[in-house]
Amino acid sequence: MLGAARRQLGSGPMLGQVLRRLRPAAAAEVARGYSAAAKEMTVRDALNSALDEEMSADPSVFLMGEEVGEYQGAYKISKGLLDRYGPDRVLDTPITEAGFTGIGVGAAYHGLRPIIEFMTFNFSMQAIDHIINSAAKSNYMSAGQISVPIVFRGPNGAAAGVGAQHSQCYAAWYAHVPGLKVLTPYSSEDARGLLKAAIRDPDPVIFLENELLYGESFPVSAEVLDSSFCLPIGKAKIEREGKDVTITAFSKMVGYALQAAEILSKEGISAEVINLRSIRPLDRAAINASVRKTNRLVTVEEGFPQHGIGAEICMSVVEESFEYLDAPVERIAGADVPMPYAANLERMAVPQVDDIVRAAKRACYRAVPMAAAA
Amino acid sequence: MAAASFTAAKFLAPVAARSGGERAPPLPAGASSSSFARTLRRGGAHHPRLRTAFAVSSDLLAGNKAAQAAATHPAVTREEALELYEDMVLGRVFEDMCAQMYYRGKMFGFVHLYNGQEAVSTGFIKLLNQADCVVSTYRDHVHALSKGVPARSVMAELFGKATGCCRGQGGSMHMFSAPHNLLGGFAFIGEGIPVATGAAFAAKYRHEVLKESSPDGLDVTMAFFGDGTCNNGQFFECLNMAQLWKLPIVFVVENNLWAIGMSHLRATSDPEIWKKGPSFGMPGVHVDGMDVLKVREVAKEAIERARRGEGPTLVECETYRFRGHSLADPDELRKPDEKTHYAARDPITALKKYIIEQNLATESELKSIEKKIDDVVEEAVEFADASPHPPRSQLLENVFADPKGFGIGPDGTYRCEDPKFTQGTAQV
């Protein structure tokens, strides 16, 4: 049974986590054995190395935000950058989101490539006028004269017990606006590749990280570690191939979806997990191709359900692959409430692996009886 | 820090001759029509706590001939005077034509005219180089013209034609011109201030980090905004950061006393905006914004300061808009005597009078400049009329700078796989 599990799962830590639920004793041993093959890197180190390499390659790249310099980053993402690049390129700002975001946009208008860090994306609401009105719309309003090569990055979504004002997911808000590119990395490979692509991109990019993923390790190949590695913006990744139901997810939910896929496979449902990576532009081609193959769709997101990412994906599939659907699209999202503080309520307000499993089963039992699968 | 302060000696001299050092009388509370009867500001150069609070005399009492005679004007050459005159007349005639065109239905949406404030735009922008930046608000037609954007491009943009400076995609409130370093045109008040601060930051960064230097000094950025904006949080955030990082920027307040229908005095706890500069450590200067030569003198000093790297200056220009907030504004709240008072101080009439009295040019030369400007603006209207509307294909263009979008190059391959994608070498 362990052998089968090892073959099906792609990445070491996921194996470890899933097995911990089933066979705690054996889990650690297997995880160690598997991950010895590839180098591991935390998401934090992946982001740090991407920032380091891009700042080194292009002197017009600079980092601005609260605590990015002397504090080494509120979440230590920018550790060591102040020492390497000096206070002219790694700027600690006063607590003035609107002001320093606007300054970043103005600098981008005028030939530099700023990276603006928000301590969390909740604070970006104080600067959202500049993100939307001065950054996203400028290339269009100026008919191509003023492009804005800026990256807005920071942790997004729920953390652990931080309350309603620190836990909102902004993917749907920013993905709504034409003129922005919105990226949501999951693994270290995603973090590195997408951040490097975002910094090199000539348009405003919203880079939504996740605080709870910062400490997680993922295996990275030598290609990922290369300094010119980057990933295309607008392309999703099939994290796990399957043929019965498609599960789309982004950021932390990809991990949950993979765990759910593992549980489903025990029950004979082969789930295909798509890591969206890019919310705007959405990789509609990949999602539709997958749905045409599996005929069922479950969308997973952490944010509020109404007008969310799942709604857009569902509509895209209805528009392009309606005849292929064998069951209504299932949407898993966070609860439609501001995030509560109490730990048990918070757990109920955010999707869990069980929710994804139940939704996938609902999608599979709806139209046709489920075929027994080995 | 104190040593590098604004050298306002030449401004304080006429004031000091009249002032006894006593503080200016407080403004009457709740006054609206009498708001313009403020008298001389006193400078605080000698006062240790107000060490950077300088002010320029701004004699506002109409008809006070003795004071006016005592206020010396700085010398200006004939060429400079004619350039200033031509620019102000262009601004005025253009804006009047905009009003006409709007009422004829050629122009639409929100149009905010600059009549009466020309001295500020001309006084500041005519001192700038091409590499210096201007960031403005929705009242930006004349800033664009002063910065060198051709009148026909601005008019075509207002008509929404494809030959406009932004191909009809921006409109009246969003004038952008990369070759002239006009960085907008913003509809939200206060939005342009951080953007201007960012452009100044870029200028300083290029000089210090990228080591691109110019013999003139740093490239300077002008941020133009109004009295209503000075109560907005972003204004204060940027005063702080600009002074903190000594950015080459001049914050120009066009205080025309009204924010749509909200009088400055009703909206502001301390209406003397120039005083907010010293709170952040930068000089705050008040100038008569209806007098282009006084504005120019202050502008010269502020711009030189910024070029030398001494940091920002806050300049409050007392000015007035002769028309309503926009062409849709019935302008009922402003009292007629306030309007007549300022109409009597029309900057163009004042400069014309000065030029003739100082024998810098004859009446007929000025008339021929006016005729030339009339022709320019007429031609601009004809050009805009004759220009085509934007083609349908233009709707979806320019959302992103990356033309194929999404990191995919023109030949269909991923840009990230192109070895030349990153300029420079990545050394880790």
Side-chain angles (χ1 to χ4, degrees), chain B residues 39-53:
Chain B
T39 48
L40 300 170
R41 300 270 160 271
R42 306 316 198 255
H46 50 284
H47 194 304
R49 276 174 64 215
L50 299 174
R51 65 181 186 280
T52 50

Side-chain angles (χ1 to χ4, degrees), chain A residues 96 98-99 103 130, chain B residues 189-195 197 223-243 249-254 264 268 270 272-280 282-284 313-316:
Chain A
T96 46
I103 289 183
H130 280 290
Chain B
I189 58 145
E191 194 178 343
I193 306 178
V195 172
T197 313
F224 291 94
F225 49 96
D227 44 286
T229 309
C230 296
N231 296 324
N232 189 274
Q234 292 177 82
F235 169 60
F236 299 109
E237 292 183 14
C238 289
L239 287 183
N240 178 40
M241 285 192 276
Q243 177 63 22
I249 184 170
V250 181
F251 295 104
V252 182
V253 184
E254 297 170 323
H264 179 54
T268 316
D270 185 350
E272 298 180 276
I273 301 170
W274 62 272
K275 275 161 64 177
K276 300 182 188 187
S279 309
F280 290 88
M282 71 178 82
T313 313
L314 176 66
V315 181
E316 179 184 356

Side-chain angles (χ1 to χ4, degrees), chain A residues 2-11 239-240 261-262 265-266 374:
Chain A
L2 271 180
R6 209 184 296 139
R7 249 178 301 167
Q8 279 176 17
L9 281 170
S11 47
E239 290 284 346
R240 180 191 170 117
E262 187 48 35
S265 73
K266 309 278 170 311

Side-chain angles (χ1 to χ4, degrees), chain A residues 172-192:
Chain A
W173 282 38
Y174 289 122
H176 187 66
V177 181
L180 289 180
K181 296 179 182 171
V182 180
L183 302 178
T184 49
Y186 161 64
S187 62
S188 305
E189 175 187 327
D190 292 351
R192 255 182 77 79

Side-chain angles (χ1 to χ4, degrees), chain B residues 195-275:
Chain B
V195 172
T197 313
F201 177 89
K204 184 161 196 246
Y205 185 99
R206 282 217 224 91
H207 179 81
E208 295 191 350
V209 177
L210 302 180
K211 309 291 184 209
E212 300 169 7
S213 53
S214 131
D216 297 328
L218 294 170
D219 292 332
V220 177
T221 304
M222 300 282 115
F224 291 94
F225 49 96
D227 44 286
T229 309
C230 296
N231 296 324
N232 189 274
Q234 292 177 82
F235 169 60
F236 299 109
E237 292 183 14
C238 289
L239 287 183
N240 178 40
M241 285 192 276
Q243 177 63 22
L244 187 65
W245 294 332
K246 290 257 185 309
L247 300 181
I249 184 170
V250 181
F251 295 104
V252 182
V253 184
E254 297 170 323
N255 183 355
N256 57 23
L257 304 175
W258 291 88
I260 307 189
M262 190 64 166
S263 150
H264 179 54
L265 296 178
R266 283 182 69 212
T268 316
S269 54
D270 185 350
E272 298 180 276
I273 301 170
W274 62 272
K275 275 161 64 177

Side-chain angles (χ1 to χ4, degrees), chain A residues 195-355:
Chain A
L195 186 55
K196 285 159 89 65
I199 294 171
R200 298 176 197 180
D201 195 279
D203 291 306
V205 181
I206 303 281
F207 195 82
L208 301 173
E209 303 160 4
N210 187 297
E211 194 212 323
L212 298 176
L213 284 177
Y214 283 153
E216 274 204 33
S217 284
F218 295 86
V220 284
S221 64
E223 185 200 25
V224 172
L225 292 171
D226 183 69
S227 63
S228 50
F229 172 70
C230 78
L231 288 173
I233 292 178
K235 294 284 161 194
K237 178 182 179 192
I238 314 281
E239 290 284 346
R240 180 191 170 117
E241 296 228 357
K243 54 184 178 53
D244 291 328
V245 58
T246 300
I247 304 179
T248 64
F250 60 93
S251 190
K252 186 147 139 290
M253 292 291 125
V254 177
Y256 284 29
L258 287 169
Q259 291 181 42
E262 187 48 35
I263 294 172
L264 287 166
S265 73
K266 309 278 170 311
E267 315 209 8
I269 299 178
S270 149
E272 179 149 294
V273 176
I274 301 184
N275 172 4
L276 290 172
R277 279 183 173 173
S278 168
I279 306 293
R280 184 185 258 268
L282 204 51
D283 193 351
R284 299 171 202 273
I287 297 167
N288 278 287
S290 174
V291 169
R292 289 177 183 214
K293 183 171 77 167
T294 64
N295 308 126
R296 295 159 210 278
L297 177 61
V298 175
T299 68
V300 184
E301 63 192 293
E302 200 179 42
F304 302 133
Q306 188 165 340
H307 309 300
I309 307 295
E312 176 63 30
I313 293 177
C314 173
M315 197 57 213
S316 170
V317 165
V318 162
E319 280 171 354
E320 294 182 34
S321 314
F322 182 66
E323 310 83 41
Y324 291 84
L325 281 173
D326 283 346
V329 176
E330 292 285 337
R331 168 173 65 178
I332 298 293
D336 200 15
V337 298
M339 186 68 67
Y341 168 68
N344 64 326
L345 293 179
E346 187 179 32
R347 242 187 335 268
M348 292 196 293
V350 174
Q352 303 296 334
V353 177
D354 293 334
D355 299 316

